[in-house]
Amino acid sequence: TYAGANTTYNVTLTVTSAAGCSNSVTLPVTFANPVAALTYSPTNPDVINPTVQFTNASSNATTYDWDFGGLGGSTQTNPSFNFPNVPNTYVITLIAYAGNCSDTTSALITINDVMIYTVPNVFSPDNDGVNDAFQVYTENAESISVTIVNRWGEFMKELNGLTETWDGTFNG
């Protein structure tokens, strides 16, 4: 039994035959504790693309145990995980093993919300009930400011609310 990790010991094996002949060999044996480490990509996952690829950067380890925030796990060296497409933060844990020794590391993965907006390029303010008003449609926006200009860059209208529309009139 050797005490201490991350240490090299010279170990000698001597073999003696029944006839009394012997030979020896001495080799270094190193005991190294595992060091758990990880990286991941993308670094800012979002609700549109919630799949994260993990890269195991551990050293001196032979087996691994991943926990993806209580949503699942893996024993793969470099797993990927598809998180739910809702904004949330998860604690990811990697345990790296080398025999009976282990080391643990954790990382926070935040699945970010995404602001989506749609800007129409035409509308038909002819009171037929179809596309009669110009409006910028958004998801997850807190506010919006839109300046409408004509083809010569002259100011026509400013919209300052998430639901504000423009019916195409200018100066009455």
Side-chain angles (χ1 to χ4, degrees), residues 95-143:
I95 304 172
Y97 295 96
N100 294 330
C101 299
S102 66
D103 187 38
T104 302
T105 190
S106 296
L108 290 177
I109 302 289
T110 299
I111 306 300
N112 298 295
D113 211 348
V114 176
M115 185 182 72
I116 300 171
Y117 59 91
T118 304
V119 180
N121 60 355
V122 297
F123 72 108
S124 57
D126 56 6
N127 293 320
D128 67 353
V130 179
N131 295 324
D132 285 332
F134 177 87
Q135 179 181 6
V136 176
Y137 300 94
T138 66
E139 289 182 41
N140 303 316
E142 293 181 11
S143 65

Side-chain angles (χ1 to χ4, degrees), residues 11-156:
V11 178
T12 302
L13 171 66
T14 302
V15 178
T16 305
S17 70
C21 299
S22 68
N23 199 353
S24 298
V25 63
T26 300
L27 296 172
V29 175
T30 302
F31 295 92
N33 280 342
V35 178
L38 67 92
T39 61
Y40 57 91
S41 178
T43 55
N44 292 307
D46 58 49
V47 296
I48 294 174
N49 184 14
T51 301
V52 177
Q53 176 66 50
F54 293 92
T55 302
N56 189 332
S58 301
S59 58
N60 306 324
T62 54
T63 59
Y64 309 97
D65 190 12
W66 295 85
D67 177 20
F68 303 113
L71 300 174
S74 177
T75 57
Q76 295 178 354
T77 303
N78 297 301
S80 66
F81 190 78
N82 189 24
F83 289 91
N85 59 348
V86 293
N88 205 346
T89 299
Y90 303 94
V91 177
I92 308 309
T93 304
L94 168 62
I95 304 172
Y97 295 96
N100 294 330
C101 299
S102 66
D103 187 38
T104 302
T105 190
S106 296
L108 290 177
I109 302 289
T110 299
I111 306 300
N112 298 295
D113 211 348
V114 176
M115 185 182 72
I116 300 171
Y117 59 91
T118 304
V119 180
N121 60 355
V122 297
F123 72 108
S124 57
D126 56 6
N127 293 320
D128 67 353
V130 179
N131 295 324
D132 285 332
F134 177 87
Q135 179 181 6
V136 176
Y137 300 94
T138 66
E139 289 182 41
N140 303 316
E142 293 181 11
S143 65
I144 188 169
S145 178
V146 178
T147 301
I148 301 170
V149 297
N150 65 16
R151 71 173 90 183
W152 299 281
E154 300 168 332
F155 176 83
M156 300 292 288

